[in-house]
């Protein structure tokens, strides 16, 4: 009976991963393990906004129960303090209020450098607000008398934040409406953020996977790079691709996650249009001018993550469309057959290895007990089941769910029957 249960669950799991393709707009990313002290860190030039616009923003956050860092008008020197750096790193969202003198302040620019660093490394959400200033004016300002390295870091941070869609006071007739809209947006992003944490809670071994993927992705490079993820069925490729997408999607202008490429290329003649309709968020394959849409993509940083690529012909299609993407774009493809990647000379490949015995026990226990270790009195029983299941993550999860809620005697009876086979 247990063998039949495992077989049925493995088939259901495979089907749930491969039955459809899906599009995800950029959503909050999250760090694997962070101490979140604040919901929001506001970065601003005090003389420009503290007594009016900033106070209105803060009131809007307070009405929605959003916890924000308050600098209590701390004295500002030549460089930001450790206290501010820690506050930035312990905030889920950074709201950058660009004003007339923001880019003339070394303090503000140093804050911005740290914020964009957190965005890259921890997936911090960044919201840009341009208050009574044109973005082009902000990005033209520089600071004299500083080292070339300081100026370079500031310019890189300004250039990076320029790619983020922001709020512009010139687009609003009523400042109160703008403040309410920003507060609502932040509240929604925090809700999605917490859902992401719940979804990804305690994913065993994900830190090591992400560390290796970041090395292969090399996000600081402007090249358009394709990366393969290769491994056995049930080893966790889908979990890795989903988590990776959640981590990185906010950093790209366009982001697309496809569960199964088979559902995308239903008719070879229309594959370009179907793919473009997903990239441009248009329904029913309504792409009015394919050439125009391609040209637009050449100026955008694109992230495409595709799970369950089984055949070389599917990858042929991706090789055709990747030249459409702008500098810094990344395409991540998960396969079971390494030959599919080799046939297209994809040199950046992450081989997903089986978890260690210790990690295998954690995976099983999360499914069986809802925690990373066995309940008291179940230690030996959990170890016996793990030995039977091996170290394949999907099988460990299925067997864990099978035993979940059973009494100790039921565990013993089921395991004894398995041992007799």
């Amino acid at each position: 009976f247990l063998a039949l249960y495992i077989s049925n669950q493995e088939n259901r799991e495979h089907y749930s991963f491969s039955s459809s393709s899906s599009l995800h707009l950029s959503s909050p990313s999250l760090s694997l393990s962070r101490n979140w002290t604040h919901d929001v860190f506001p970065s601003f030039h005090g003389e420009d906004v503290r007594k009016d616009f900033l106070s209105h923003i803060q009131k809007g956050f307070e009405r929605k129960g959003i916890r924000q860092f308050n600098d209590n008008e701390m004295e500002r020197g030549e460089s930001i303090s450790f206290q501010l750096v820690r506050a930035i790193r312990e905030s889920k969202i950074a709201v950058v209020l660009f004003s007339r003198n923001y880019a003339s302040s070394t303090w503000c620019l140093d804050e911005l450098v740290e914020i964009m660093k957190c965005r890259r490394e921890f997936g911090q959400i960044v919201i840009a607000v341009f208050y009574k200033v044109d973005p082009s004016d902000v990005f033209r300002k520089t600071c004299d008398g500083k080292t070339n390295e300081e100026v370079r870091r500031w310019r890189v941070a300004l250039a990076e934040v320029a790619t983020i869609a922001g709020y512009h006071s010139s687009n609003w007739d009523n400042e109160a409406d703008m403040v309410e809209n920003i507060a609502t947006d932040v509240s929604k992003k925090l809700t999605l953020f917490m859902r992401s944490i719940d979804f990804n809670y305690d994913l065993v071994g994900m830190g090591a996977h992400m560390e290796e993927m970041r090395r292969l992705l090399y996000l600081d490079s402007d090249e358009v790079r394709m990366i393969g993820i290769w491994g056995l069925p049930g080893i966790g490729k889908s979990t890795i691709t989903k988590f990776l997408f959640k981590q990185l999607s906010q950093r790209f202008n366009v982001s697309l996650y496809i569960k199964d490429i088979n559902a995308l290329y239903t008719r070879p003649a229309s594959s370009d249009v179907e793919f473009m309709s997903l990239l441009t968020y248009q329904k029913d394959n309504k792409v009015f001018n394919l050439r125009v849409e391609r040209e637009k993509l050449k100026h955008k940083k694109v992230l495409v993550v595709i799970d369950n690529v089984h055949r070389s012909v599917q990858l042929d299609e991706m090789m055709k469309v990747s030249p459409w993407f702008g500098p810094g774009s990344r395409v991540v493809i998960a396969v079971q057959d390494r030959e599919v990647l080799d046939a297209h000379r994809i040199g950046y490949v992450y081989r997903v290895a089986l978890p260690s015995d210790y990690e295998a026990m954690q995976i099983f226990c999360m499914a069986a007990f809802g925690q990373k270790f066995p309940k008291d009195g179940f230690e030996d029983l959990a170890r016996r089941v793990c030995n039977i299941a091996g170290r394949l993550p999907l099988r460990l999860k299925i067997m864990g769910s099978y035993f979940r809620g059973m009494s100790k005697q039921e565990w013993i009876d089921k395991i004894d029957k398995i041992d007799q086979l």
Side-chain angles (χ1 to χ4, degrees), residues 44 50 58 69-76 83:
F44 59 92
R50 187 186 292 276
Q58 290 175 328
F69 173 75
N70 191 335
D71 67 359
N72 295 316
E73 300 192 17
M74 66 172 57
E75 184 177 349
R76 303 203 164 200
Q83 180 185 0

Side-chain angles (χ1 to χ4, degrees), residues 17 82 86 149 161 175 260 295 313 362 364 385 421:
F17 282 144
F82 172 76
R86 185 173 64 183
E149 177 58 25
V161 79
E175 186 173 297
D260 182 14
E295 286 301 315
V313 65
Q362 289 184 317
F364 173 76
V385 176
L421 294 178

